[in-house]
Amino acid sequence: EMVSRLVQLDAGEAPSCKPGGCRVDYSLYVITGDKFSRGRPVVEVARAAIAGGATVLQLREKAFTARQLIDAGHQLRRLTREKGVTFIVNDRVDVALAVEADGVHLGQDDLPIGMARRILGPGKIIGISTHSVEQALEAQRQGADYIGVGPVFETHTKDDVQAPVGVDLVRQVASVVSIPKVAIGGIKAYNVEEVIAAGADGVAVITAVVAAEDVSGAARELRSRIEKARRYL
Ligand code: 3NM
């Protein structure tokens, strides 16, 4: 089974696996944000982000109807499958299943992880946003596959966002949580290296990539700084 899985990955298949875990590369996790994308279609922005080196793509469109989410989801699924990029849907377990996403990303007020797992089964990725060491540990205990940690820096991208937790929280969480940790919130090319140095397995961004005039260039710059920071770990 392991061998066939490796063959699938080599063939450019997006990794959705487990139990036993699967190697997802969380390095540059780009989240869609249609209202920040200068009128460019979600799938075109995603294509450019992937060309620049995004390793995970999340569909997160709070203002989309279910139909719009399904439509965008199908397009992003086709694209990410072709490129071997992991595809995650925000909040909506139903949409994630319907478009055959690799997994779902939940907030603290969404379905509990155990319930999402019952619906999705063992083969899907479940991530959850955390904002403290306690939440991070609880997410790991509940069986999350990865956690978001943030907002690291000030951001106005999210409506109900809380005060920045700082790079220090990334460092603290990294010292006690073993599942992958993706830092989020106000991360840009100029501050990404300190976030990786603090122990994040990757960074999630919206505006740094989707609002950039040159989307693929912005992604490429982030990727290059992430790889540079890792050489000093
Ligand atoms: N979640 P930007 S911060 C969607 O802290 C989201 O959980 C956060 O957007 C959290 O990269 C955030 O433009 C917004 O700051 C990220």
Side-chain angles (χ1 to χ4, degrees):
E1 198 203 3
M2 206 58 191
V3 170
S4 67
R5 186 167 296 165
L6 285 170
V7 169
Q8 282 186 352
L9 282 174
D10 282 346
E13 183 94 352
S16 90
C17 20
K18 287 203 349 123
C22 60
R23 298 163 305 283
V24 174
D25 179 358
Y26 289 100
S27 298
L28 180 56
Y29 184 137
V30 173
I31 304 173
T32 72
D34 193 45
K35 67 177 175 183
F36 304 105
S37 297
R38 303 165 174 244
R40 300 167 296 195
V42 165
V43 67
E44 292 316 317
V45 173
R47 191 184 303 279
I50 291 169
T55 58
V56 181
L57 192 83
Q58 182 190 122
L59 173 62
R60 178 181 185 274
E61 296 298 345
K62 301 278 188 185
F64 277 22
T65 63
R67 282 299 175 90
Q68 290 175 309
L69 287 173
I70 293 290
D71 184 47
H74 274 135
Q75 294 182 58
L76 294 177
R77 174 70 290 182
R78 196 174 317 128
L79 171 71
T80 52
R81 189 169 272 151
E82 178 190 319
K83 304 294 184 186
V85 164
T86 300
F87 178 46
I88 303 288
V89 171
N90 187 260
D91 291 352
R92 298 283 300 260
V93 171
D94 54 346
V95 174
L97 271 178
V99 304
E100 297 179 30
D102 297 307
V104 70
H105 186 90
L106 303 169
Q108 289 288 322
D109 296 328
D110 293 323
L111 281 189
I113 293 164
M115 291 193 182
R117 182 70 71 200
R118 277 209 306 235
I119 297 168
L120 290 169
K124 297 287 187 187
I125 298 163
I126 299 177
I128 182 166
S129 300
T130 69
H131 316 287
S132 67
V133 169
E134 292 70 29
Q135 287 178 353
L137 284 169
E138 181 62 12
Q140 175 167 268
R141 205 183 66 76
Q142 302 271 330
D145 295 293
Y146 77 91
I147 53 170
V149 181
V152 179
F153 304 109
E154 186 175 281
T155 177
H156 300 285
T157 306
K158 197 180 183 208
D159 292 334
D160 52 342
V161 80
Q162 56 180 74
V165 295
V167 173
D168 250 12
L169 183 66
V170 176
R171 200 170 288 111
Q172 286 179 52
V173 167
S175 72
V176 293
V177 168
S178 58
I179 60 175
K181 298 150 284 284
V182 181
I184 185 166
I187 296 173
K188 311 287 177 189
Y190 61 78
N191 60 25
V192 69
E193 288 171 61
E194 58 178 307
V195 174
I196 295 297
D201 297 282
V203 300
V205 298
I206 301 180
T207 50
V209 168
V210 310
E213 191 170 295
D214 176 3
V215 170
S216 63
R220 196 167 292 116
E221 176 70 16
L222 280 163
R223 248 329 263 287
S224 131
R225 291 185 186 224
I226 290 163
E227 303 310 324
K228 183 176 163 223
R230 284 193 178 137
R231 293 200 284 272
Y232 294 96
L233 286 179

